[in-house]
Amino acid sequence: MGLLDKIKNGLTKTREQLITRIEWIVQGKPLNEDSFDEIEEALILADAGIETAEILMTRLKERWKRGHIKTTEDIKRCMAEEIEKILKPVESPMPMDGKRPFIILTLGVNGVGKTTTIAKIAKIFCDNGKSVLLGACDTFRAAAIEQLEVWAKRLNIDVVKHKEGSDPAAVAYDSVKASLARGVDVLILDTAGRLHTKTNLMEEMKKIKRVVSKEIDGAPQEILLVVDATNGQNAIIQAKTFNDALNVTGLVITKLDGTAKGGFILPIAHSLKIPIRYIGVGEKFDDLIPFTASYFSHAMLENG
Amino acid sequence: MFEKLQERLETTFKKLRGYGKLSEDNIKDSLREVRVALLEADVNYKVAKDFLEKIKEKALGAEVLTSITPGQQFVKIVYDELCELLGRVNVPVDVSGSPPVAVLLAGLQGSGKTTTAGKLALFLRKKGRKPLLVPSDIYRPAAIEQLTKIGNQIGISTFSVKDIKSPVTICTEAKAYAMKNGFDTVIVDTAGRLHINDEMVEELINQKKVLNPKETLLVIDSMTGQDAVGIAKTFHERLGIDGVILTKLDGDTRGGAALSIRAVTGRPIKLIGIGEKLDALEPFHPERMASRILGMGDVISLVEKAQEVFDEKKAREFEKRIRKDEFTLEDFRDQIKQMKKLGSLESIISMFPGLNKLKGAIDFQAAEKDIKKIEAIINSMTKKERLYPHIIDGSRRLRISKGSGTKVQDVNDLLKKYAETKKMIKKFAKGGMKGLPKQLLFR
């Protein structure tokens, strides 16, 4: 299966709802101002956000007035184009060149799939011939270290770890030291899930970041936030809060296949402008896909 | 947890307060506000619509009471309807019947099933049960170890899966094991699965068949937006659920899921998870949740919680000592410890009616820090110093400050506060409540 098909598969729920609504609105009637209001509502219901939905509608209406839009197919095609324009600025892969080791600090609320995502990203690096080391900074949740270890074993890479309950910043420190000593290409740090509302846990995160940058100037090069697509609007709040506290440099959006609200990616792209690195559309290793604006926008609206 | 909804409704009701009578006109705005508040809180579209219809009908009906203002009346109607929507009464987890009684936990990946399994075991043990934890998530790496570790933390046995490769077989064997070893409750944790993954849902159905659970509980992340309804509905249709456990309610979720799930599935929310610690699981009380949403506070929960954590014997002893004017720093520390058991300052405050407005105004982080500091200082004293604080001289102060990692200034402050409190308590012991200055009550 090609990448586009995979994304399409993952976005089935979002697309079907959106398309069904649009077709229902347009069906048999000539297009007028009202139909655009209704399409806007359909977008909002897919969690596309009020501001972004308005922008899309203004642009679509302009094209309609110029006579470019007549059928449902036109709407879908034009909307996909406009969505692509909004998403394009956040399409940017992880900047891998420069200093070694490339250090990725992952974070996110509980249960979004951080550890699994790390394993998947590590595999992508391994497949590209890079040497990878993992740091088990989630010392809080029971068996989190073991979970990371199982993945590492499958990928045949090493994990730097301490005991459960130890200081995550200390693990980060040791991981950085180990990555330097071994001369690895990539170090990925796993951290405990934390609700963005807990100030003390955000402080802990800042400490981890400080410890890493103290050892290597400019590191961690990537502060990677993992958000769960099924969290919908709350995921946007999460991204905002984490970004304010830690300057997030990249996003991974997981579990897109479990929601009909894939539209929430639009307000994230529009208002936060944080590069989206990967999207998760399934449980398998290769279901974590590099984000591309054109694929995503097409998968959101086009069946064929 | 429901603050956002709460704030919106509060402004609405303020607007209503000025009117003399409820009419179609003056409740129109309020209704619209309620609608926006509900939709913004991710309440299902249809559920919100039905809800508003009912409120409108009742508000315009003849139930006019002379003793209250129309605003209050509107609040009452909304409150009643909210209770209704949330299920009216708490439905406890039912583990009656001949042992071993099974409880099956199901849900999406990352909803918090494994942690909840541990919490539920602890919760049921407090109620006198002897639970066995059963891990059956053979897919996610280290999921079984996670549950075993949680079991160890709280001293609850976990079924040893060894090399059983099928979740269904695990269920059969765990039940037999529980029967043989005298466990009266079996709590089965399952692998996370999407409700649209047919194969995985089928497996869950088979697990349910062999387990024959008294309770099949769906664990849902309260941050789940509009999708919560679809998830609950599908799980209910395919698997048949008896109730819901709502997790991660300590975040800033808008909580709309709680309002819709019950309406759509007809199944009650039984428990809520409100923190990372393993005792952070509470029964869901619709009427309390409704009061909390409307800013009426949740005093009942607080009292219940206090009853659970306060050591009665100690309290009585404490009272005696106060009467005899023997309040020492040791007692002071005990008080702090007991209060900490109640939860964070923030969560305590949120249970008081009207105090919710304080939430933005007080820096809870700093307040918690202060308490920690005080505890550290007292901990750095010798027993003698705690019992007879007047012996603490300059060099002792220096030692204590070093030992607790604070400044001498902090130690001085604490001793001063202690002296003040002691004076106050003396008054209190003599004159009863009247002697108690207002500041203390609000401290």
Side-chain angles (χ1 to χ4, degrees):
Chain A
M1 201 170 14
L3 279 189
L4 180 58
D5 291 326
K6 265 200 193 131
I7 301 175
K8 275 189 177 164
N9 239 355
L11 284 175
T12 308
K13 285 178 78 182
T14 306
R15 182 181 55 247
E16 276 176 0
Q17 273 208 19
L18 199 55
I19 290 186
T20 319
R21 286 218 172 88
I22 292 176
E23 276 168 358
W24 179 254
I25 294 162
V26 182
Q27 211 180 32
K29 289 174 280 190
L31 280 173
N32 55 29
E33 294 270 345
D34 282 353
S35 13
F36 284 100
D37 283 349
E38 282 177 62
I39 295 173
E40 187 177 339
E41 202 179 300
L43 276 169
I44 292 172
L45 280 171
D47 270 357
I50 292 172
E51 203 185 330
T52 17
E54 268 173 8
I55 294 173
L56 279 174
M57 277 314 111
T58 326
R59 292 185 188 166
L60 270 173
K61 263 192 225 166
E62 257 170 44
R63 292 173 82 157
W64 166 61
K65 279 175 190 157
R66 273 192 260 131
H68 295 176
I69 297 176
K70 289 190 181 74
T71 63
T72 322
E73 287 312 309
D74 293 341
I75 292 180
K76 284 197 268 183
R77 185 176 40 81
C78 292
M79 204 195 273
E81 283 168 20
E82 294 301 337
I83 286 176
E84 189 181 336
K85 276 186 205 157
I86 291 178
L87 294 179
K88 195 75 190 172
V90 294
E91 174 191 314
S92 122
M94 267 188 224
M96 261 298 292
D97 16 281
K99 234 183 246 170
R100 269 197 335 172
F102 184 76
I103 300 181
I104 303 171
L105 179 61
T106 47
L107 49 131
V109 302
N110 316 64
V112 292
K114 275 180 300 302
T115 311
T116 314
T117 302
I118 287 170
K120 288 177 179 173
I121 292 178
K123 179 156 190 298
I124 295 174
F125 280 122
C126 288
D127 290 347
N128 285 317
K130 305 274 185 205
S131 56
V132 181
L133 182 67
L134 304 179
C137 300
D138 181 356
T139 56
F140 178 77
R141 207 202 69 198
I145 302 171
E146 283 84 346
Q147 188 181 348
L148 197 64
E149 276 184 310
V150 173
W151 282 119
K153 215 180 211 171
R154 285 185 201 167
L155 295 168
N156 206 10
I157 54 180
D158 286 337
V159 180
V160 177
K161 56 164 183 176
H162 286 189
K163 261 192 262 163
E164 215 169 284
S166 53
D167 180 7
V171 186
Y173 177 85
D174 282 356
S175 308
V176 174
K177 283 283 178 204
S179 69
L180 284 169
R182 297 179 191 196
V184 295
D185 299 315
V186 184
L187 168 66
I188 311 179
L189 300 172
D190 185 19
T191 63
R194 61 202 70 223
L195 290 174
H196 49 295
T197 49
K198 310 241 157 144
T199 330
N200 53 336
L201 294 179
M202 295 300 260
E203 287 303 320
E204 181 186 274
M205 202 69 221
K206 285 183 195 164
K207 184 178 166 195
I208 298 175
K209 188 181 165 188
R210 267 201 312 272
V211 165
V212 174
S213 35
K214 212 170 174 185
E215 288 315 303
I216 301 177
D217 221 22
Q221 292 91 328
E222 178 86 334
I223 312 271
L224 190 65
L225 176 67
V226 184
V227 295
D228 180 339
T230 52
N231 282 354
Q233 294 293 316
N234 196 266
I236 302 168
I237 302 170
Q238 288 166 24
K240 234 179 224 150
T241 326
F242 274 111
N243 191 34
D244 288 346
L246 289 144
N247 287 327
V248 175
T249 59
L251 276 179
V252 175
I253 296 167
T254 60
K255 306 184 202 173
L256 267 167
D257 49 331
T259 178
K261 308 282 168 186
F264 87 102
I265 200 169
L266 291 172
I268 283 197
H270 177 71
S271 63
L272 293 174
K273 304 205 162 49
I274 304 168
I276 300 169
R277 309 293 195 200
Y278 294 98
I279 52 173
V281 291
E283 290 172 31
K284 285 190 228 83
F285 258 121
D286 49 2
D287 287 333
L288 188 73
I289 299 168
F291 174 76
T292 46
S294 64
Y295 279 6
F296 195 92
S297 48
H298 281 102
M300 240 179 109
L301 284 151
E302 285 170 30
N303 273 324
Chain B
M1 51 178 87
F2 286 88
E3 284 114 36
K4 285 268 162 60
L5 183 54
Q6 202 165 300
E7 274 166 31
R8 296 224 49 146
L9 289 179
E10 265 174 30
T11 42
T12 320
F13 299 146
K14 254 185 217 141
K15 278 183 208 158
L16 259 189
R17 247 167 238 163
Y19 295 106
K21 211 175 152 192
L22 287 183
S23 71
E24 180 118 30
D25 257 2
N26 60 31
I27 66 161
K28 213 170 107 195
D29 286 343
S30 299
L31 280 174
R32 194 183 307 127
E33 288 285 337
V34 174
R35 182 186 131 94
V36 173
L38 291 176
L39 288 180
E40 270 195 358
D42 269 347
V43 174
N44 181 269
Y45 180 78
K46 221 184 136 302
V47 174
K49 205 175 146 197
D50 292 350
F51 182 72
L52 286 170
E53 277 304 313
K54 274 189 204 149
I55 290 183
K56 196 175 161 192
E57 211 174 279
K58 292 209 171 138
L60 294 177
E63 307 158 43
V64 182
L65 296 169
T66 44
S67 58
I68 54 173
T69 67
Q72 284 170 329
Q73 195 180 342
F74 189 76
V75 175
K76 170 88 168 60
I77 293 165
V78 175
Y79 170 77
D80 283 348
E81 266 327 297
L82 270 177
C83 287
E84 195 71 47
L85 188 62
L86 289 165
R88 194 141 292 277
V89 288
N90 165 255
V91 186
V93 174
D94 182 9
V95 282
S96 62
S98 65
V101 176
V103 178
L104 183 67
L105 299 180
L108 260 51
Q109 289 93 338
S111 55
K113 283 175 300 306
T114 309
T115 309
T116 302
K119 285 180 178 178
L120 182 61
L122 190 63
F123 179 85
L124 290 175
R125 190 179 59 190
K126 276 191 198 158
K127 300 222 174 311
R129 308 287 299 190
K130 192 184 173 199
L132 174 71
L133 282 169
V134 180
S136 78
D137 181 357
I138 54 167
Y139 304 97
R140 182 167 62 96
I144 292 172
E145 270 148 296
Q146 187 187 350
L147 192 64
T148 314
K149 280 199 170 176
I150 288 175
N152 286 339
Q153 274 172 31
I154 49 179
I156 285 173
S157 307
T158 312
F159 178 69
S160 156
V161 175
K162 285 185 202 108
D163 3 273
I164 310 175
K165 288 275 186 296
S166 134
V168 179
T169 321
I170 290 174
C171 289
T172 332
E173 302 219 342
K175 214 169 173 190
Y177 177 86
M179 179 84 90
K180 218 165 111 194
N181 293 280
F183 292 96
D184 56 15
T185 317
V186 177
I187 299 170
V188 181
D189 178 30
T190 62
R193 62 204 79 213
L194 285 176
H195 51 301
I196 44 171
N197 185 333
D198 279 332
E199 205 180 311
M200 289 295 282
V201 173
E202 198 59 42
E203 181 187 276
L204 204 55
I205 294 171
N206 288 331
Q207 272 181 284
K208 188 179 174 181
K209 258 183 213 151
V210 300
L211 202 59
N212 189 21
K214 184 90 192 183
E215 290 269 15
T216 304
L217 300 175
L218 180 65
V219 182
I220 293 190
D221 181 343
S222 59
M223 286 184 285
T224 316
Q226 294 271 346
D227 285 326
V229 172
I231 294 164
K233 209 172 153 194
T234 318
F235 267 108
H236 185 46
E237 279 164 8
R238 297 286 317 267
L239 184 67
I241 59 169
D242 302 300
V244 172
I245 300 179
L246 212 53
T247 61
K248 304 183 207 171
L249 266 169
D250 48 334
D252 60 353
T253 159
R254 288 173 288 182
L259 295 172
S260 330
I261 288 171
R262 152 91 211 196
V264 171
T265 62
R267 287 294 182 266
I269 297 163
K270 297 200 163 182
L271 296 162
I272 52 175
I274 48 163
E276 293 191 324
K277 294 205 184 105
L278 287 166
D279 58 358
L281 185 76
E282 280 183 358
F284 176 78
H285 290 281
E287 76 283 9
R288 295 182 201 173
M289 194 62 86
S291 330
R292 217 187 286 204
I293 292 173
L294 295 179
M296 297 172 183
D298 187 5
V299 180
I300 314 167
S301 283
L302 185 66
V303 172
E304 262 178 18
K305 224 169 164 192
Q307 275 168 349
E308 202 178 303
V309 299
F310 276 93
D311 187 333
E312 208 179 315
K313 220 167 120 196
K314 262 197 175 161
R316 220 170 275 149
E317 228 168 69
F318 179 62
E319 196 192 322
K320 236 193 232 162
R321 299 166 72 91
I322 282 187
R323 293 217 178 279
K324 282 201 214 145
D325 190 21
E326 276 173 7
F327 179 69
T328 65
L329 279 168
E330 194 116 303
D331 297 318
F332 200 32
R333 187 176 59 169
D334 273 353
Q335 292 297 307
I336 292 177
K337 269 191 188 150
Q338 296 222 332
M339 201 168 106
K340 270 169 105 182
K341 279 193 214 156
L342 270 179
S344 69
L345 276 179
E346 196 168 357
S347 69
I348 298 172
I349 290 284
S350 70
M351 288 188 225
F352 277 105
L355 287 194
N356 239 312
K357 290 183 200 90
L358 280 180
K359 273 190 120 172
I362 296 180
D363 185 353
F364 286 98
Q365 224 69 38
E368 298 271 1
K369 245 189 199 157
D370 275 349
I371 292 180
K372 254 196 197 144
K373 211 192 250 172
I374 291 174
E375 227 190 338
I377 294 173
I378 301 181
N379 280 338
S380 296
M381 294 177 183
T382 63
K383 185 147 191 183
K384 201 172 164 196
E385 283 166 349
R386 286 201 280 267
L387 292 176
Y388 310 104
H390 61 272
I391 65 166
I392 304 178
D393 55 15
S395 80
R396 281 180 194 262
R397 282 176 199 211
L398 189 64
R399 195 206 74 239
I400 293 167
S401 73
K402 276 187 177 158
S404 55
T406 56
K407 292 189 203 108
V408 178
Q409 182 71 39
D410 297 324
V411 182
N412 289 341
D413 267 1
L414 171 66
L415 289 172
K416 214 171 118 196
K417 263 186 209 151
Y418 163 72
E420 275 169 18
T421 313
K422 201 170 170 185
K423 230 191 256 164
M424 226 155 3
I425 285 176
K426 212 169 172 180
K427 258 195 205 163
F428 173 53
K430 278 184 194 151
M433 265 309 219
K434 268 176 263 166
L436 211 61
K438 261 195 184 136
Q439 308 94 279
L440 189 72
L441 288 169
F442 284 97
R443 259 252 171 88

